[in-house]
């Protein structure tokens, strides 16, 4: 017995050594697999953000024979005196205020429709999702042609009114340019969030609906007391992602209106890109980007606070 105990005692360091070696190999493997992603995050996220913070306090230009000089808060002072910035801020807020509830609500409605077990539901899921996988540049170019004065949209309006009403110049009129872009953006993005809502709907236990049916609950009561509470985490994710995408509006503006007419569709991101690349004012564009970062972060935190799970 004593001999057996002694042999087991001698084996323990060997086992510990093997366990430590295996854990070390697993750690090295994990580090090796995570390294490419970490490098990409540092190069394309951390470094640009750090450069933006640094450049915002200088007079750097995209192409300049003189080196950048530290100017303190001058760029931010000029920014808060710039009427175009306030106009772009209003346009961004207007776009987000309309798109967020409209796109989230329409996506939820479509998710409820395609969640039903009926024939052909997979076809409708595919049709609703097709605009999402299409390039935004391609979609913007397509809708630009649709919105022309001799385009399909005005042709439909003329046909439905028997020629008594001529459609407006959708992208050339300050009163209709932003609503036209809102309509196109909602159409393009609603399919993605429909899939997110659909995934949330399918996580709700069927037993809850069966219990509601046994209690004689109507469809409206089922949605209010079963479906909507079960989508708490999903709606937080949907609202935050739509809000961030809405505040980041750029591609549609760049392709369809270039910020016009009369700056009626310019946004904060479009102004930053236009200032930094077209006008080559890199430092001023960096200041705009920092203000935009603070704005989006604040709105996202407020949304997260309002939609948090309450005890």
């Amino acid at each position: 017995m004593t001999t057996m105990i002694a042999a087991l005692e001698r084996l323990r360091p060997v086992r510990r050594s093997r366990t430590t070696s295996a854990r070390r190999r697993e750690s090295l493997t994990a580090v090796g697999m995570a390294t490419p992603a970490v490098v990409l995050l540092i190069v394309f996220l951390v470094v640009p953000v750090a450069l933006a913070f640094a450049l915002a306090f200088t007079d750097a230009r995209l192409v300049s024979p003189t080196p950048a000089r530290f100017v303190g808060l001058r760029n931010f002072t000029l920014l808060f005196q710039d009427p175009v910035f306030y106009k772009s801020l209003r346009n961004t807020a207007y776009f987000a205020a309309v798109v967020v509830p409209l796109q989230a609500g329409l996506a939820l409605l479509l998710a409820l429709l395609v969640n039903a077990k009926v024939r052909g539901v997979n076809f409708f899921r595919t049709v609703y999702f097709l605009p999402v996988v299409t390039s935004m540049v391609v979609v913007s170019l397509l809708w630009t042609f649709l919105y022309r004065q001799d385009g399909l949209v005005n042709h439909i309006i003329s046909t439905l009114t028997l020629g008594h009403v001529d459609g407006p110049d959708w992208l050339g009129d300050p009163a209709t340019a932003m609503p036209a872009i809102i309509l196109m953006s909602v159409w393009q993005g609603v399919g993605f969030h429909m899939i997110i809502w659909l995934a949330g709907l399918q996580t709700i236990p069927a037993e809850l609906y069966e219990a509601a049916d046994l209690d004689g609950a109507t469809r409206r009561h089922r949605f209010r007391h079963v479906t909507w509470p079960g989508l708490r985490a999903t709606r937080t994710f949907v609202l935050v992602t739509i809000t961030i995408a809405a505040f980041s509006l750029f591609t549609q503006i760049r392709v369809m209106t270039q910020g016009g007419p009369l700056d009626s569709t310019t946004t904060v991101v479009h102004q930053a890109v236009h200032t930094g690349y077209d006008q080559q004012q890199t430092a001023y564009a960096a200041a705009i980007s920092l203000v935009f970062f603070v704005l989006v972060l604040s709105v996202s935190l407020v949304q997260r606070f309002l939609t948090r799970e309450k005890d």
Side-chain angles (χ1 to χ4, degrees):
M1 187 67 179
T2 305
T3 306
M4 185 179 297
I5 294 175
L8 290 175
E9 290 293 336
R10 288 194 297 270
L11 287 175
R12 283 181 182 175
V14 177
R15 290 177 179 174
R16 290 176 181 173
S17 177
R18 290 177 179 175
T19 302
T20 303
S21 178
R23 290 178 178 175
R24 187 179 294 112
R25 285 197 300 270
E26 290 178 358
S27 300
L28 291 175
T29 302
V31 170
M33 296 179 68
T35 297
V38 172
V39 171
L40 289 175
L41 285 174
I42 292 174
V43 173
F44 293 104
L45 182 63
V46 177
V47 172
V49 169
L51 286 175
F53 271 94
L55 291 174
F57 300 95
T58 68
D59 62 351
R61 296 182 62 86
L62 187 63
V63 178
S64 176
T66 58
R69 296 180 296 108
F70 179 77
V71 295
L73 298 176
R74 189 180 72 180
N75 290 321
F76 295 96
T77 302
L78 294 175
L79 178 63
F80 291 118
Q81 296 174 351
D82 186 358
V84 178
F85 171 71
Y86 287 104
K87 186 172 289 189
S88 66
L89 201 60
R90 287 195 299 270
N91 292 335
T92 302
Y94 168 46
F95 181 85
V98 176
V99 167
V100 173
L102 182 60
Q103 186 166 309
L106 184 58
L108 177 57
L109 177 61
L110 292 177
L112 291 171
L113 292 176
V114 300
N115 192 43
K117 296 180 180 180
V118 296
R119 181 177 297 179
V121 69
N122 290 330
F123 169 77
F124 289 103
R125 291 179 183 179
T126 304
V127 169
Y128 296 149
F129 193 75
L130 274 178
V132 179
V133 298
T134 306
S135 169
M136 179 59 79
V137 175
V138 174
V139 171
S140 299
L141 289 172
L142 174 64
W143 279 77
T144 300
F145 288 109
L146 294 178
Y147 281 138
R148 291 173 56 178
Q149 285 191 297
D150 58 348
L152 180 61
V153 174
N154 284 346
H155 179 71
I156 294 175
I157 293 175
S158 178
T159 301
L160 293 177
T161 60
L162 302 177
H164 295 291
V165 176
D166 294 326
D169 183 6
W170 293 97
L171 299 178
D173 188 345
T176 58
M178 184 58 79
I181 292 176
I182 288 174
L183 176 63
M184 185 272 292
S185 301
V186 171
W187 173 84
Q188 193 274 338
V190 71
F192 173 76
H193 295 97
M194 176 199 71
I195 297 298
I196 303 300
W197 283 119
L198 184 61
L201 288 172
Q202 294 179 352
T203 62
I204 301 175
E207 293 80 4
L208 296 179
Y209 290 106
E210 294 174 359
D213 291 336
L214 292 175
D215 290 338
T218 62
R219 183 173 298 180
R220 182 172 63 87
H221 286 98
R222 286 176 57 188
F223 177 82
R224 179 181 177 183
H225 297 288
V226 178
T227 304
W228 189 244
L231 294 173
R232 183 187 300 273
T234 304
R235 67 173 178 260
T236 300
F237 176 79
V238 168
L239 289 176
V240 170
T241 53
I242 295 179
T243 301
I244 293 175
F247 276 104
S248 304
L249 175 66
F250 170 72
T251 305
Q252 302 95 302
I253 305 299
R254 189 71 169 183
V255 174
M256 300 175 72
T257 63
Q258 294 79 47
L262 301 177
D263 294 323
S264 62
T265 59
T266 188
T267 60
V268 177
V269 176
H270 181 268
Q271 185 188 9
V273 175
H274 176 69
T275 302
Y277 289 96
D278 298 339
Q279 299 178 351
Q280 299 188 4
Q281 300 179 25
T282 310
Y284 192 62
I288 297 174
S289 300
L290 286 185
V291 173
F292 172 72
F293 168 76
V294 174
L295 174 67
V296 174
L297 180 62
S298 302
V299 173
S300 298
L301 290 177
V302 170
Q303 273 192 334
R304 184 68 183 88
F305 175 77
L306 295 177
T307 58
R308 73 192 188 282
E309 293 188 11
K310 299 178 181 180
D311 297 332

